[in-house]
Amino acid sequence: MMHDKESTFIIAEIGVNHNGDINLAKKMIKSASECGVDAVKFQTFKSEDLVTENAKTADYQQKNANENSQFEMLKKLELTFEDFKELKGYASKCNVMFISSPFDIKSVDLLENLNVSLYKLGSGELNNFELIDYVQKTNKPIILSTGMATLEEIKETYNFIENKENLRILHCITGYPTSFEEANLNFIKTLQSEFDVPIGFSDHSPGIELPIAAVALGACVVEKHFTLDKTLEGPDHKASLNPTEFKAMVDAIRNVEVAMGDGIRRFSENELEIKKIARKSIVLNDDVLEGMTIEKDMISIKRPGTGIAPKYINQVIGKKVNKDLNKNTVLKWEYLE
């Protein structure tokens, strides 16, 4: 299960960055677990059921994977049921949740046989109601990305999904990489106002800034592509974070979670001590004898803040002192009649 909304559920999107190599996939799981993620996510598909043989690659895929054919590219990146079974077991040993995005009904069956805890549906499946319906009948939680979708399309899919309690929706811009100008993080707030489910963020931007900002906006889930080496050949490596970057992102998110607090103003012992030093009090300019009346020219406002606060100066003027007081005495109410 995912965390409650007070703790961000962080997913390392391994995707197809294993390059079809189960040993590389295991290294990535171990490395991601050491970064402190909650889950590692793969992609489950059979190329024959996912894409036509003459479908072209996107520009970024052609550039990074050196393939003109989606089918040929994806065929090299497939993993078998036995591979996924081994990887799920290995993820369990590494104390991270195993997740994989299914791209077809057969892949859902495969993942059900592995008894996965939840399903992540990629942006490309947002209008694939047959697949969504098949997934929701498993009664497992669903995380839904919304890249390439209009708000109306997101509403249609939201209304189609029956169990809203099991749903998380992720703001996503489908660009590899996504520029900062495209990111539109405030759409998270739009989704929060439109839908009565927790909202998260699936990020394809460079660096770690945007996931951290998304958490400050209330994102409950953060998903980010993960690689061991950005120079490896493959469609998604260049738009991924390496382990050092991913660890920095996770640490920053956890710090932000603590820093957000609950919105109720409280004072730490540290701040209370500094308050005494940084604030000011009403202070005597000269020695004063018992019975004398305080006049304006007899007092000043100075640090420390351990006496009568400056806002009460007009209430202090005209009062008599009840004891002899020295110059620079910080006035307190008990010294006055």
Side-chain angles (χ1 to χ4, degrees), residues 260-269 271-272:
M260 292 303 290
D262 59 9
I264 299 171
R265 187 66 168 100
R266 296 183 179 86
F267 298 100
S268 65
E269 289 298 322
E271 191 173 13
L272 288 173

Side-chain angles (χ1 to χ4, degrees), residues 288-299:
V288 174
L289 300 177
E290 180 182 349
M292 291 183 66
T293 299
I294 300 292
E295 297 180 5
K296 179 69 169 66
D297 61 0
M298 296 168 61
I299 53 178

Side-chain angles (χ1 to χ4, degrees), residues 140-240:
K140 305 274 181 72
I142 296 173
I143 303 175
L144 178 70
S145 275
T146 59
M148 305 173 290
T150 66
L151 184 57
E152 286 305 313
E153 287 177 315
I154 300 169
K155 288 179 180 179
E156 287 175 357
T157 303
Y158 174 83
N159 291 331
F160 179 78
I161 294 174
E162 296 170 2
N163 188 353
K164 306 297 192 291
E165 291 184 2
N166 270 350
L167 179 63
R168 305 289 186 271
I169 295 175
L170 307 189
H171 170 45
C172 178
I173 302 296
T174 306
Y176 299 86
T178 298
S179 70
F180 295 142
E181 292 79 8
E182 293 174 296
N184 194 17
L185 283 184
N186 278 326
F187 192 63
I188 291 172
K189 294 193 287 187
T190 300
L191 293 172
Q192 288 167 339
S193 66
E194 291 284 346
F195 304 108
D196 191 23
V197 297
I199 305 301
F201 182 47
S202 178
D203 184 39
H204 302 120
S205 71
I208 68 175
E209 298 97 321
L210 298 196
I212 298 165
V215 170
L217 288 172
C220 66
V221 177
V222 163
E223 178 185 67
K224 185 87 170 175
H225 278 270
F226 179 75
T227 184
L228 296 184
D229 184 352
K230 294 184 184 184
T231 67
L232 289 174
E233 186 175 296
D236 297 332
H237 289 284
K238 286 184 174 59
S240 304

